[in-house]
């Protein structure tokens, strides 16, 4: 008998007030799979991702991690399975880069436990993977937007979840670091069997780094399937309400507005 999916949504409806962004969605994400969530501004991508992360209640339906609901798991057990990267964050207090990244290890500590030398080693490896190895003692309030984003990614990598839920993980990043950070999550899926679901604005990045795509139209309709099927000119033109030409070159997707 195969294990349950890392993430499963059944007949999920998501919305705010009277507006329903997503209606009766059935979705499964298994180990090693990478899902891109695409849609126009205001289509409800973040709201959907928040529900999948257990941070917002759905209008209807249910979300399960490894076959168990969030209510049964509780916050600590859920955080050992699911990692969450928000688009924005507030740093109310000064702290160092190392201290901030160590927060990623907290789900693995006992209630009154302290970080061990092994925890510090995991965090230092995560900082090195995002190019912040020499930033350990920097005050986070002195970081640029891109550096702060990479620190957030390092903190999430240090958490070592089985499922990554990412809201615009390439926000604030230049092109080089966009590719490098998405490659890190693709590597986590390929080498560690992690599952990844991420909100993206660039379909070409979805083509390159994801094997599945979920299109959120914002009116209750959602479409999901393999990336080559979902990232067609017809579907993307309808999704963004603008005519697009889509063609493939050297195995990569290219888009051009008409």
């Amino acid at each position: 008998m195969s294990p349950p999916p890392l993430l499963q949504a059944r007949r999920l409806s998501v919305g705010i007030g009277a507006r329903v962004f997503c209606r009766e969605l059935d979705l499964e994400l298994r180990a090693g799979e990478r899902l891109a969530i695409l849609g126009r501004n205001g289509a409800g991508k973040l709201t959907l991702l928040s529900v999948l992360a257990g941070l917002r209640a759905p209008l209807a339906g249910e979300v399960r991690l490894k076959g168990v609901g969030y209510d049964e798991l509780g916050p600590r057990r859920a955080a050992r399975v699911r990692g969450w990267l928000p688009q924005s964050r507030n740093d109310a207090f000064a702290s160092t880069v190392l201290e901030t990244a160590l927060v990623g290890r907290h789900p693995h500590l006992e209630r009154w436990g302290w970080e061990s030398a092994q925890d510090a080693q995991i965090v230092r490896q995560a900082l090195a993977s995002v190019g912040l190895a020499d930033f350990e003692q920097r005050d986070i309030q002195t970081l640029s937007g891109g550096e702060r984003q990479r620190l957030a990614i390092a903190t999430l990598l240090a958490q070592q979840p089985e499922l990554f839920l990412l809201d615009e993980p390439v926000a604030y990043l230049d092109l080089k670091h966009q590719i490098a950070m998405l490659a890190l999550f693709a590597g986590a899926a390929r080498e560690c069997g992690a599952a990844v679901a991420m909100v993206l604005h660039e379909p070409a990045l979805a083509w390159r780094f994801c094997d599945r795509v979920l299109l959120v139209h914002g009116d209750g309709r959602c479409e999901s399937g393999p990336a080559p099927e979902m990232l067609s000119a017809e579907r993307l033109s309808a999704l963004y309400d603008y005519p697009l030409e889509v063609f493939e070159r050297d195995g990569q997707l290219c888009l051009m507005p008409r």
Side-chain angles (χ1 to χ4, degrees):
M1 184 175 180
S2 61
L6 285 174
L7 176 69
Q8 184 178 42
R10 293 178 178 172
R11 302 181 65 84
L12 192 68
S13 293
V14 172
I16 296 178
R19 184 173 179 187
V20 179
F21 299 123
C22 180
R23 185 176 288 109
E24 294 192 351
L25 172 66
D26 289 325
L27 179 70
E28 290 187 358
L29 200 58
R30 294 186 177 274
E33 292 185 324
R34 295 159 290 150
L35 174 74
I37 302 173
L38 303 179
R40 296 191 299 274
N41 291 340
K45 302 182 298 296
L46 173 56
T47 304
L48 172 59
L49 197 69
S50 299
V51 171
L52 295 177
L55 303 176
R56 177 188 288 271
L59 299 178
E62 63 176 350
V63 178
R64 291 178 172 270
L65 298 181
K66 302 177 74 172
V68 184
Y70 277 105
D71 288 344
E72 184 177 348
L73 278 172
R76 182 178 294 273
R77 288 176 61 199
R80 292 175 181 170
V81 178
R82 178 267 292 130
W84 163 255
L85 181 73
Q87 181 183 350
S88 59
R89 60 199 59 84
N90 296 315
D91 298 313
F93 303 101
S95 63
T96 68
V97 165
L98 181 62
E99 290 168 340
T100 301
L102 278 168
V103 172
R105 299 303 302 160
H106 287 183
H108 303 279
L109 304 180
E110 297 298 327
R111 185 172 299 275
W112 303 110
W114 290 90
E115 301 90 350
S116 66
Q118 183 181 8
D119 291 317
Q121 181 181 4
I122 291 171
V123 166
R124 288 189 168 98
Q125 290 173 345
L127 290 174
S129 71
V130 301
L132 296 178
D134 297 329
F135 284 61
E136 285 188 14
Q137 299 307 314
R138 278 275 298 272
D139 188 323
I140 58 171
Q141 295 179 335
T142 69
L143 300 179
S144 69
E147 290 167 343
R148 185 62 185 86
Q149 182 72 354
R150 284 189 281 147
L151 173 56
I153 290 172
T155 304
L156 184 60
L157 293 172
Q159 186 178 331
Q160 297 180 322
E162 299 176 66
L163 168 68
F164 291 94
L165 299 178
L166 316 173
D167 181 26
E168 298 188 35
V170 297
Y172 311 109
L173 298 178
D174 57 43
L175 180 59
K176 173 185 175 181
H177 286 108
Q178 287 182 23
I179 301 302
M181 296 305 103
L182 292 179
L184 279 177
F185 290 113
R190 183 176 58 253
E191 298 162 14
C192 303
V196 183
M198 64 179 88
V199 171
L200 293 173
H201 281 295
E202 177 50 66
L205 293 177
W207 174 280
R208 179 168 179 176
F209 291 103
C210 297
D211 43 49
R212 295 172 55 199
V213 173
L214 174 65
L215 305 180
V216 181
H217 291 272
D219 58 1
R221 293 179 297 131
C222 291
E223 302 175 86
S224 64
E229 179 183 338
M230 293 294 105
L231 299 176
S232 67
E234 181 180 1
R235 279 193 163 96
L236 291 176
S237 296
L239 180 72
Y240 293 112
D241 193 24
Y242 196 89
L244 296 169
E245 292 185 18
V246 177
F247 53 95
E248 187 178 343
R249 180 175 180 180
D250 297 331
Q252 299 300 324
L253 189 75
C254 301
L255 293 91
M256 182 177 295
R258 292 181 185 174

